[in-house]
Amino acid sequence: MRKTSGYDILINTVMTVIVIFCVIPLALLLISSLTDNSTLIRNGYTFFPEAWSLDAYRYLVNSGSKIIRSYGMSFLVTGLGTGLSILFTTTLAYAISVPGLPGRKFLTFFVFFTMLFNGGLVPTYLMYTGTFHIKDTLMGLLLPNLLVRAYYVMMMRSYFINSLPQEVIEAARIDGASEFQTFTKVAIPMSKPIIATVILFTMIMYWNDWQNGLYYLSRKTSLYTIQNLLNRMIQEIQFLSSNAVVGQSNAAQGIPSGTVRMAIAVIGILPIAVIYPFVQKNFAKGITMGAVKG
Amino acid sequence: MSAKETAAVQPRKKVHLKKYLPIYLIALPGLIYLFINNYIPMAGLVVAFKNFSAKRGIWGSKWAGFKNFKYLFSTSDAFVITRNTLLYNVMFIVIGTTLAVMVAIFLADIKSRIRSQFFQSIILLPFLVSWVIISYLVFGFFSAETGFVNNTIRQGMGLAPLSWYNEPKYWPLIILAVYLWHQVGYTSIVYYASVVGIDNGYYEAADLEGATHWQKIWHITLPLIRPTIITMVLLAVGKIFYSDFGLFYQVPMNSGALFRTTGVIDTYVYKGLMEQGNIGMSAAAGLYQSCVGFVVVLLANLAVRKIDKDSAFF
Amino acid sequence: MKLKKAVALSLAAIMTMSLGSAIPASADEEKAHLIMSFRTSGAVPSEENIKKVEQKLDELIADRINAEIELIILQSSSYKDQMTLMLSGYEQLDIMGAPASLIPSAVSGEQLRDLGDLLDEYGQGIREALGEELLNCGIFDGTQYCLPVNCDTTLGLGYYIMRKDICEKYDIDPDAITNYEELTEAFQKVHDGEPEMTVVAPGSAGYSFMQFSCTWDKLGNYFGVLDHWGQDDLTVVDLFETQSYRDYLDVMRDWYKRGFISADVTNATDSGSVQIKAGNLFAMANSNKPGMLAQEQMNTGIELVGAQVLPSISWTANNWQWCIPENAEHPEEAMQFLNLLYTDPDVINTIVYGLEGEDYVIHEDGRIGYPEGVDASNVGYSVASMLWSFGNEFNAYVWETNEPDVWEQTIAWNETGYRSKAFGFVFDPSPVQNEIAAVQNVYDQYRMSLECGLVDPETTLPEMVEKMKAAGLDTIIEEKQAQLDAWAEVTGAA
């Protein structure tokens, strides 16, 4: 065991400072969600509110019989989406990383090009609703835009090219492994760090997405994910609390408008914050295995 | 070409095809998805050159030439928004990448596994907060009357309160800080994966020769993760004419007085089209941003080919 | 080569499939299936509750229209985007509610049907409910594309809602306040006595005071207006160079310098009533109408009084209109249904308040309220916040927080104040889109800080005007004048 060096002290100090920088606004978020609403509006967002209150969470629990169901939808969509996505992404990324594959450059360009140009929302929407009829179905949450992202394909490709020792791959080929076997038996196990990374990113992407729900679920709101639900609540509250009365409405009455937004954010982050350490454990495991084999 | 030679070439080609067939096959699902999800809708970009009419459909609508692009350049502020977009992106790429790489290397070097994991979890969290919420938090810090900065920090130092949302000069820094807060933890994960993927043998050899930590970072870690850095930077360069709408619209709370330093192409397009836009005009904006990004990325790729052929995209 | 051709062919095939094919009509069903979309600013009802209301509507119309109705209820914030998507493709949509900002692009995209003939054939009730003058507000480019709604069309501008307790404390009589000088005096008293409190703020976040302080007809977008409440003639002038605008700015500058206005006003996120409720605001600017004060009292839970310092005005009322899109499959039934919406109280009550007994109950005096145990946060179906947008609110029940005769008051109110000579004129921005985008960009840079008094108009106003001119403001004004002249010729207005 080496003793603690100056370098160790330095990196720990720097990281602690960075973590504090990250935590302060998050603490403000949590504290504001627990502040009394009138206090918040009068005194602004502060670390030491005059009056505390659980009203925001009470409001969410009372109005949100749908919260549990939406959480369920989020888990389902995130699980399915991430599973499919990682399959498609890894295979494609590996293919365009194989040296000597005829047409490899073209395929790489084919993938990369989709990052630069896109048809925009309207043509995408017309195709998915007109040809594939995914409107108001679960597919509307899964398919558009999220399944294979060129960004992640390129990231993985780079890892395959640069971090997979070519000698090991060659050795496998010489041993008579087919290209497919090389992929599943050699490349995949050795690439756990990047696979874990992309799994994490894809999970976050599916978890955070609310646009697909917004555009593709206009009637079937029972399929809303938690982000759709929370986003809709935030928009409602924002509208009600920022606009003067237009009709004969008292919908804004009694909503702790300022604090509930913050509580909504907390509820949206919470599951990922809870699950992440577990994902991370596997992530770390993958790394050691990859490193040992390498 | 003689018959003999042709005969000799033919079988080899067949072997090739047979050998690579599985590779093409496994790539197929992803390629088909990209073709459907990305390439087919690209045909819709043609509306950028059309007077779009729903009755006639995309193809039947009349041609409009470059009319839909005109509004992008009709403003005297076209220079300002282009400059801001570019400068912010350059700043994000340079500072963001440097910080993310540093964090990744440090994280990998922290000996306590638990502490390292704890740090990783915390720095990822900001990425999960939506821009609307971030804008409220930023307001919590910079509000003129109730903000933390005015009421606690500036007051503590005996300074008069500042109306932050009307002072454009501070915003490049604020935007940068918010961007780094939101993004660095997330990006550093990619680099972290590369760093921990490095063969331990390199470090052991270096240890035997008595290398310091800095020497190891400089001579082993950085060169080995260079391809990842290049990839990530090239990917960012392709988006150089885009900007995160939430960061530039929500975070400055759409404060007009800050336009000089926070106005970017995306916010201009959004505001310009809010009341009277059509899909032709928004398609035009996207096409313009894409084309510039494409040219820039081709140039960057060319440069990369000169330095490090393997890391270039094509 | 072959491959290329095949790819091109399949691409073309998929494109035509995706963009060219209509969703098959449900022709085999007997009843016309009508799809209707509108927005709500409150909570969007759940699927099951919308179903119930649809069934009730079907029952109500069964003996009059051979149709069944499906409602798409969306949230205000994303409504325009979603309508743009639905209109661009071939998704069936028979009746669409449209905010003013959606109309120009929908018209230039040929996404709306000409309602003229349908209105003649099936829409007699609508004609009667709106009256010719109001109906004209739905004419765009000489064609009746839209149907405006009958609600409060007069705006009581320069209306300041104040806390009653503080008025009493400082001996302020709101009824005696009739102009800016008296208002400033009253505000000064409050400011001196309550230095911690913000004296005045705009009613809505994101608005300056200007929207509530017009002494001109904004003609749609403020770029080119009719000065003096549109009472002089039909000469379009540059608002930002008028004395009226400058006078308004001077009042705001004075208020800001006196410390009445918060420095955070330019990026406030809370409405005036939320701030009053929280206790750190004395007064807010809003536009007056019958029931407004009662409504704000409900929202804040604080007793309020109001003072109006400017005359009321009515200008072209097209905040919300009903349209029948090109994608409609049953335009005739759609118009029949709209006719019922504008004329049959049961239809509007059901579509707005939901089901009697479940979502609302009728009191003895004819007003309605929530049933036992139901409130705004758990009601099954209610889009009451948008009542004004459902054609003819005067047919609907009065909510219990309003006075029972609020509709009679509103009808009388609509007859008061100045009526702009350009009432009914709708500006079509599409010929000058580029200029508008550029001028809007300039205006956005100055709007809030200038119009809330944060900067000195003496130096800033000329700067803004100069930039606006460079961005093409004069072109917009010329275009607006030309359209207005053409409109005047057709309608005979002078």
Side-chain angles (χ1 to χ4, degrees):
Chain A
M1 203 69 198
R2 278 176 294 178
K3 63 176 193 289
T4 318
S5 66
Y7 176 76
D8 292 322
I9 296 169
L10 179 89
I11 59 174
N12 277 291
T13 317
V14 170
M15 285 313 299
T16 309
V17 170
I18 290 176
V19 164
I20 290 172
F21 176 70
C22 288
V23 162
I24 287 177
L26 293 171
L28 186 64
L29 175 70
L30 188 64
I31 291 169
S32 337
S33 76
L34 294 166
T35 305
D36 172 65
N37 193 48
S38 287
T39 309
L40 181 94
I41 289 162
R42 203 167 50 241
N43 301 344
Y45 301 88
T46 140
F47 291 98
F48 308 103
E50 278 169 23
W52 300 81
S53 153
L54 279 171
D55 280 353
Y57 292 95
R58 214 168 282 137
Y59 172 80
L60 283 180
V61 169
N62 286 342
S63 69
S65 56
K66 298 169 213 147
I67 286 186
I68 304 288
R69 186 172 61 187
S70 303
Y71 264 140
M73 279 305 298
S74 275
F75 282 118
L76 179 69
V77 170
T78 306
L80 273 176
T82 309
L84 273 178
S85 173
I86 201 69
L87 191 70
F88 285 20
T89 307
T90 316
T91 47
L92 180 53
Y94 180 74
I96 60 174
S97 77
V98 171
L101 181 82
R104 178 181 154 206
K105 268 192 185 159
F106 168 77
L107 291 179
T108 309
F109 186 80
F110 181 89
V111 172
F112 181 64
F113 193 73
T114 63
M115 255 192 66
L116 297 171
F117 288 87
N118 68 77
L121 178 61
V122 175
T124 311
Y125 175 87
L126 295 186
M127 177 190 71
Y128 274 122
T129 54
T131 308
F132 297 106
H133 301 292
I134 64 165
K135 197 164 182 184
D136 293 314
T137 69
L138 185 65
M139 289 299 130
L141 295 172
L142 276 178
L143 292 182
N145 301 324
L146 302 177
L147 207 52
V148 179
R149 303 278 288 202
Y151 194 86
Y152 301 140
V153 178
M154 298 302 285
M155 238 167 65
M156 272 195 155
R157 167 190 173 271
S158 160
Y159 191 94
F160 286 140
I161 292 178
N162 298 298
S163 300
L164 284 189
Q166 278 309 312
E167 313 86 69
V168 183
I169 303 267
E170 278 309 314
R173 290 202 180 108
I174 290 164
D175 287 349
S178 70
E179 284 293 334
F180 188 69
Q181 284 167 330
T182 317
F183 170 61
T184 52
K185 299 269 163 61
V186 183
I188 294 277
M190 287 177 65
S191 308
K192 278 191 178 162
I194 193 69
I195 293 173
T197 307
V198 173
I199 285 180
L200 179 70
F201 284 7
T202 313
M203 256 176 55
I204 293 176
M205 188 176 67
Y206 269 105
W207 182 268
N208 276 354
D209 178 68
W210 49 269
Q211 291 187 344
N212 279 350
L214 182 68
Y215 296 127
Y216 293 100
L217 301 178
S218 56
R219 273 161 275 201
K220 261 263 178 291
T221 49
S222 55
L223 293 178
Y224 264 16
T225 63
I226 192 77
Q227 297 295 349
N228 289 133
L229 192 74
L230 296 180
N231 189 61
R232 193 168 80 173
M233 286 170 97
I234 285 202
Q235 301 291 344
E236 275 165 16
I237 290 165
Q238 199 164 19
F239 186 88
L240 293 173
S241 69
S242 66
N243 283 280
V245 178
V246 279
Q248 47 163 217
S249 139
N250 54 355
Q253 205 194 354
I255 302 178
S257 57
T259 58
V260 92
R261 293 188 271 242
M262 298 297 152
I264 282 174
V266 172
I267 286 195
I269 301 171
L270 206 61
I272 296 253
V274 171
I275 293 168
Y276 181 58
F278 295 101
V279 178
Q280 200 190 29
K281 232 167 98 191
N282 289 313
F283 180 60
K285 221 189 274 163
I287 289 158
T288 19
M289 282 170 69
V292 167
K293 281 203 174 173
Chain B
M1 200 187 284
S2 73
K4 227 181 177 178
E5 274 176 63
T6 326
V9 172
Q10 283 288 2
R12 243 189 79 205
K13 240 188 178 172
K14 253 184 199 155
V15 167
H16 259 253
L17 197 67
K18 209 177 160 192
K19 183 177 162 211
Y20 287 120
L21 191 65
I23 302 291
Y24 289 120
L25 279 180
I26 60 168
L28 209 55
L31 291 174
I32 291 175
Y33 176 80
L34 287 178
F35 180 74
I36 293 173
N37 184 72
N38 298 73
Y39 280 92
I40 294 177
M42 264 183 224
L45 278 176
V46 72
V47 297
F49 303 98
K50 294 260 187 176
N51 275 326
F52 177 70
S53 153
K55 207 160 139 189
R56 297 164 214 262
I58 289 181
W59 301 107
S61 298
K62 291 197 195 93
W63 291 99
F66 283 93
K67 202 189 92 187
N68 288 330
F69 290 84
K70 227 186 116 193
Y71 79 106
L72 290 171
F73 308 99
S74 65
T75 166
S76 53
D77 292 318
F79 169 73
V80 175
I81 54 177
T82 311
R83 177 201 67 191
N84 287 353
T85 310
L86 282 174
L87 285 185
Y88 275 114
N89 274 319
V90 169
M91 198 159 79
F92 293 165
I93 292 173
V94 174
I95 302 176
T97 307
T98 314
L99 257 180
V101 169
M102 185 190 87
V103 166
I105 293 175
F106 284 4
L107 276 177
D109 273 353
I110 286 180
K111 289 200 195 100
S112 156
R113 169 67 66 76
I114 292 171
R115 204 180 306 147
S116 169
Q117 285 184 8
F118 173 73
F119 286 169
Q120 275 183 60
S121 301
I122 299 290
I123 59 175
L124 180 71
L125 287 183
F127 189 77
L128 301 169
V129 186
S130 70
W131 287 117
V132 185
I133 299 299
I134 294 175
S135 75
Y136 290 119
L137 294 176
V138 172
F139 183 69
F141 281 89
F142 293 103
S143 148
E145 304 224 322
T146 57
F148 182 72
V149 176
N150 273 357
N151 284 359
T152 309
I153 300 178
R154 286 184 72 88
Q155 210 171 34
M157 298 196 303
L159 294 168
L162 254 179
S163 180
W164 295 95
Y165 287 85
N166 289 295
E167 295 281 353
K169 59 174 178 272
Y170 301 108
W171 280 85
L173 260 180
I174 297 175
I175 296 263
L176 177 68
V178 174
Y179 170 85
L180 294 176
W181 176 76
H182 184 249
Q183 195 74 33
V184 161
Y186 180 77
T187 325
S188 71
I189 292 177
V190 185
Y191 296 116
Y192 181 74
S194 288
V195 173
V196 297
I198 293 172
D199 191 335
N200 256 329
Y202 292 112
Y203 294 110
E204 281 154 17
D207 281 340
L208 287 179
E209 290 182 18
T212 66
H213 286 287
W214 301 112
Q215 283 169 332
K216 281 190 278 184
I217 290 175
W218 192 252
H219 294 290
I220 302 172
T221 317
L222 283 177
L224 284 171
I225 63 168
R226 188 174 72 178
T228 311
I229 299 176
I230 291 175
T231 304
M232 298 298 285
V233 168
L234 272 183
L235 291 173
V237 163
K239 291 268 168 211
I240 201 146
F241 251 48
Y242 287 93
S243 29
D244 199 319
F245 180 75
L247 177 59
F248 290 93
Y249 187 79
Q250 312 268 22
V251 173
M253 295 200 144
N254 189 21
S255 179
L258 303 179
F259 173 82
R260 294 271 121 205
T261 58
T262 62
V264 291
I265 297 172
D266 285 287
T267 54
Y268 173 76
V269 168
Y270 176 78
K271 288 196 251 180
L273 300 187
M274 197 154 51
E275 283 303 316
Q276 37 105 37
N278 57 49
I279 66 169
M281 287 163 88
S282 40
L287 192 57
Y288 166 61
Q289 289 171 305
S290 298
C291 287
V292 176
F294 185 52
V295 171
V296 176
V297 89
L298 283 185
L299 292 176
N301 188 59
L302 216 65
V304 169
R305 277 178 76 101
K306 293 243 162 76
I307 313 165
D308 180 355
K309 201 159 182 288
D310 280 344
S311 298
F313 283 171
F314 26 78
Chain C
M1 202 55 219
K2 238 183 188 170
L3 185 73
K4 232 182 187 173
K5 214 172 173 185
V7 169
L9 272 175
S10 59
L11 181 80
I14 295 171
M15 280 309 285
T16 34
M17 253 159 55
S18 60
L19 304 174
S21 73
I23 294 169
S26 42
D28 39 331
E29 281 176 40
E30 294 170 16
K31 286 191 166 184
H33 186 78
L34 289 179
I35 301 182
M36 173 182 189
S37 71
F38 53 86
R39 65 175 184 184
T40 175
S41 55
V44 175
S46 72
E47 260 177 81
E48 306 88 69
N49 289 317
I50 295 177
K51 268 270 133 57
K52 283 191 209 163
V53 169
E54 288 169 354
Q55 276 162 8
K56 175 80 183 159
L57 284 171
D58 289 346
E59 282 170 34
L60 283 173
I61 62 171
D63 52 340
R64 287 170 288 181
I65 314 173
N66 187 29
E68 56 181 18
I69 190 111
E70 178 179 346
L71 304 177
I72 301 181
I73 306 177
L74 301 168
Q75 217 181 359
S76 294
S77 53
S78 55
Y79 186 73
K80 196 187 151 194
D81 284 352
Q82 285 179 272
M83 284 304 108
T84 306
L85 286 176
M86 288 188 73
L87 290 178
S88 301
Y90 294 85
E91 259 176 278
Q92 185 195 342
L93 185 60
D94 299 278
I95 303 172
M96 178 183 74
S101 61
L102 183 62
I103 310 274
S105 64
V107 170
S108 66
E110 301 187 288
Q111 290 159 335
L112 303 180
R113 285 178 193 244
D114 179 355
L115 303 183
D117 295 340
L118 288 168
L119 199 59
D120 288 340
E121 198 162 343
Y122 303 108
Q124 216 42 51
I126 299 173
R127 233 177 238 291
E128 279 158 27
L130 291 180
E132 212 52 39
E133 204 178 14
L134 194 52
L135 192 59
N136 284 345
C137 296
I139 293 181
F140 205 88
D141 263 356
T143 307
Q144 186 93 44
Y145 285 115
C146 319
L147 305 172
V149 295
N150 198 11
C151 57
D152 49 303
T153 47
T154 294
L155 295 130
L157 294 172
Y159 188 59
Y160 288 83
I161 296 174
M162 300 176 272
R163 269 174 65 169
K164 194 177 176 195
D165 54 340
I166 294 182
C167 280
E168 280 166 359
K169 187 172 168 191
Y170 296 99
D171 205 20
I172 296 165
D173 175 13
D175 296 330
I177 298 174
T178 54
N179 57 36
Y180 278 129
E181 286 78 48
E182 288 160 5
L183 190 62
T184 307
E185 223 172 89
F187 284 175
Q188 188 64 50
K189 279 190 211 163
V190 175
H191 183 60
D192 293 341
E194 314 277 337
E196 287 291 294
M197 187 177 258
T198 304
V199 179
V200 63
S204 292
Y207 282 58
S208 72
F209 293 91
M210 194 271 261
Q211 286 88 341
F212 309 107
S213 314
C214 300
T215 56
W216 48 84
D217 178 351
K218 62 175 181 166
L219 295 179
N221 65 0
Y222 298 106
F223 302 145
V225 301
L226 296 183
D227 206 356
H228 303 121
W229 301 276
Q231 295 304 295
D232 299 349
D233 53 20
L234 294 179
T235 309
V236 180
V237 296
D238 174 11
L239 168 66
F240 308 105
E241 289 178 288
T242 59
Q243 190 59 41
S244 314
Y245 186 69
R246 181 59 207 264
D247 289 345
Y248 155 77
L249 290 183
D250 288 339
V251 173
M252 291 304 132
R253 183 65 181 160
D254 180 41
W255 285 3
Y256 184 75
K257 284 212 281 208
R258 287 168 185 257
F260 297 172
I261 300 171
S262 157
D264 281 329
V265 66
T266 53
N267 49 302
T269 53
D270 294 305
S271 68
S273 50
V274 171
Q275 293 178 55
I276 287 183
K277 189 179 175 186
N280 59 342
L281 179 67
F282 165 64
M284 61 171 158
N286 207 333
S287 55
N288 192 15
K289 67 170 185 177
M292 173 57 86
L293 209 55
Q295 214 33 258
E296 290 290 12
Q297 276 182 166
M298 271 299 302
N299 278 348
T300 55
I302 293 174
E303 277 199 89
L304 301 168
V305 289
Q308 194 176 340
V309 297
L310 294 172
S312 302
I313 180 175
S314 46
W315 53 46
T316 297
N318 63 347
N319 284 341
W320 187 265
Q321 317 218 44
W322 293 97
C323 317
I324 299 182
E326 275 296 330
N327 293 351
E329 289 184 10
H330 311 287
E332 294 178 359
E333 284 85 355
M335 182 56 88
Q336 288 173 317
F337 182 78
L338 280 172
N339 198 48
L340 289 183
L341 181 67
Y342 277 73
T343 52
D344 185 334
D346 288 339
V347 174
I348 186 171
N349 283 329
T350 306
I351 212 169
V352 172
Y353 296 123
L355 304 178
E356 190 190 334
E358 252 176 75
D359 303 313
Y360 69 91
V361 289
I362 305 174
H363 300 314
E364 276 171 20
D365 61 1
R367 291 186 293 180
I368 59 168
Y370 292 122
E372 271 302 298
V374 175
D375 62 36
S377 68
N378 65 6
V379 64
Y381 181 101
S382 172
V383 291
S385 59
M386 300 299 287
L387 168 64
W388 62 277
S389 74
F390 285 91
N392 192 2
E393 67 171 350
F394 304 133
N395 276 342
Y397 286 125
V398 174
W399 193 255
E400 60 189 0
T401 51
N402 281 295
E403 286 168 45
D405 63 342
V406 66
W407 298 147
E408 287 77 17
Q409 289 181 32
T410 307
I411 291 167
W413 164 259
N414 280 345
E415 297 303 316
T416 63
Y418 290 120
R419 170 156 292 216
S420 168
K421 285 189 174 166
F423 188 95
F425 166 68
V426 183
F427 175 57
D428 172 11
S430 49
V432 282
Q433 270 168 340
N434 297 321
E435 287 78 7
I436 291 180
V439 173
Q440 185 71 46
N441 178 48
V442 175
Y443 187 39
D444 280 341
Q445 291 170 44
Y446 294 94
R447 187 174 65 90
M448 287 303 280
S449 47
L450 188 64
E451 293 176 358
C452 294
L454 269 69
V455 292
D456 186 2
E458 194 59 39
T459 51
T460 314
L461 182 59
E463 196 182 305
M464 179 176 86
V465 169
E466 192 190 327
K467 280 197 186 171
M468 281 183 164
K469 291 209 181 279
L473 179 59
D474 291 334
T475 317
I476 303 172
I477 294 176
E478 269 168 45
E479 173 65 28
K480 205 178 250 183
Q481 183 74 65
Q483 287 187 22
L484 186 61
D485 290 344
W487 171 83
E489 209 159 294
V490 175
T491 57

